[in-house]
Amino acid sequence: MKTLTVAVATAVAVAGLVGAAGAPAQAEVRRDGGSDRAAVRCAGKTVDTAAKIRYRTETTINAPLRTIWKIQTDVERWPSWQTPVLSSKRLDRGPLRPGSSFRWTTAVPETALNPATTLVVTSTVRQLQHQRCLRWDGPAIGAGLRIDEGVHVWTFTEVDGRVLVRTEETWRGDQVEQDVEFSTAALGDGLETWLTELKTLAERECERARR
């Protein structure tokens, strides 16, 4: 099972699954495994609190809130800055909003337990408050691989001229639940990487705008 979980986690962190390469030290992210007291919430809703696999973390980004929000919600642009994302397509039109769906893919390498495949993630936005928070959920399905449901929540808060970004995600599914500790660590690595790449791009675009 660990080989399979590595393949899933290396490719993704659902529903926003993202690559688990590990966050560079300069990311300034902080790990938090989590109780409900500090749960990340959007419009009063949080992750699947009954899920066995759960991870929460945060970072501070030195860029305008509008820049960070635009990068995060332009889901079709994800492949340009999220290394593991192969493709991403909106399934509806207009600004991202509650009810919006998008389908995105990531490659999973061959292991002793599964062939090389492409994991297909279908995410549906459940809650969204403009420049404040996002919450989406959905499954990730590939040949011989499946996460039945991931629930992912994000908040964005201006603090002293910077933006505190918090995120929390849960996974549910028979495969990943076979080794909860390992899957949780893998999920965490994916979220740390996502935050690192978001921070890097937002701060780079902010610096470019100042020139």
Side-chain angles (χ1 to χ4, degrees):
M1 175 56 198
K2 289 189 177 181
T3 305
L4 176 58
T5 308
V6 169
V8 174
T10 299
V12 291
V14 155
L17 296 152
V18 104
Q26 67 267 27
E28 298 178 9
V29 290
R30 288 172 288 177
R31 296 176 182 267
D32 184 3
S35 67
D36 291 343
R37 182 178 59 82
V40 181
R41 299 180 184 276
C42 184
K45 302 294 184 179
T46 187
V47 293
D48 180 354
T49 58
K52 297 177 180 179
I53 300 161
R54 182 175 180 178
Y55 191 90
R56 178 169 62 237
T57 189
E58 63 186 53
T59 192
T60 302
I61 301 178
N62 187 20
L65 175 56
R66 65 180 179 278
T67 298
I68 300 166
W69 181 262
K70 182 178 180 181
I71 292 169
Q72 182 75 336
T73 58
D74 187 358
V75 299
E76 291 190 322
R77 188 186 174 195
W78 283 3
S80 71
W81 61 273
Q82 292 199 53
T83 307
V85 179
L86 300 178
S87 66
S88 184
K89 181 178 177 60
R90 282 284 301 274
L91 302 181
D92 60 334
R93 298 180 179 179
L96 202 67
R97 60 193 181 276
S100 290
S101 294
F102 50 100
R103 181 168 294 127
W104 46 296
T105 63
T106 186
V108 177
E110 181 178 2
T111 75
L113 298 178
N114 64 276
T117 188
T118 297
L119 199 62
V120 179
V121 186
T122 304
S123 300
T124 300
V125 177
R126 302 302 181 183
Q127 282 77 33
L128 182 151
Q129 294 180 328
H130 184 66
Q131 295 188 6
R132 293 179 59 187
C133 65
L134 286 162
R135 179 179 177 272
W136 63 67
D137 60 27
I141 301 171
L145 297 175
R146 183 182 179 97
I147 297 176
D148 294 341
E149 184 180 50
V151 183
H152 201 166
V153 188
W154 295 81
T155 62
F156 307 82
T157 308
E158 292 181 297
V159 180
D160 298 328
R162 304 170 78 191
V163 178
L164 173 65
V165 180
R166 302 183 69 225
T167 187
E168 185 168 10
E169 184 170 357
T170 51
W171 286 353
R172 184 187 289 269
D174 291 342
Q175 287 185 320
V176 290
E177 289 173 11
Q178 289 180 44
D179 192 332
V180 170
E181 182 177 357
F182 190 86
S183 295
T184 301
L187 170 60
D189 284 342
L191 294 185
E192 303 291 0
T193 299
W194 191 324
L195 279 181
T196 297
E197 294 186 332
L198 177 61
K199 176 182 175 72
T200 297
L201 179 59
E203 293 183 352
R204 183 170 66 237
E205 291 196 354
C206 183
E207 181 60 30
R208 186 182 298 123
R210 292 193 186 107
R211 295 174 183 170

